[in-house]
Amino acid sequence: MIERLSDPEVLSNINALLESKPELLEQWEAIALSDILGRSLVMDGQFIPDE
């Protein structure tokens, strides 16, 4: 699963989706995705895209 989520194309799609509609993730989903990616997805209330 981590391998799939780490694919640059997948990350780009996730970033684009969450930048335009961050409310799509429930709090528990954001926490789970942060754990999988090993970093925080949100800082100061703003979505931080993975580079």
Side-chain angles (χ1 to χ4, degrees):
M1 177 177 230
I2 293 173
E3 205 171 287
R4 286 185 187 173
L5 288 174
S6 297
D7 179 274
E9 186 175 344
V10 172
L11 284 176
S12 178
N13 290 336
I14 291 171
N15 287 338
L17 182 62
L18 292 177
E19 283 177 316
S20 66
K21 295 184 183 257
E23 69 276 4
L24 290 176
L25 282 183
E26 299 286 335
Q27 183 176 7
W28 70 268
E29 293 169 317
I31 291 168
L33 190 53
S34 292
D35 287 345
I36 290 169
L37 295 175
R39 66 171 193 83
S40 179
L41 295 176
V42 178
M43 185 176 287
D44 298 327
Q46 293 290 324
F47 172 71
I48 307 299
D50 192 50
E51 298 175 6

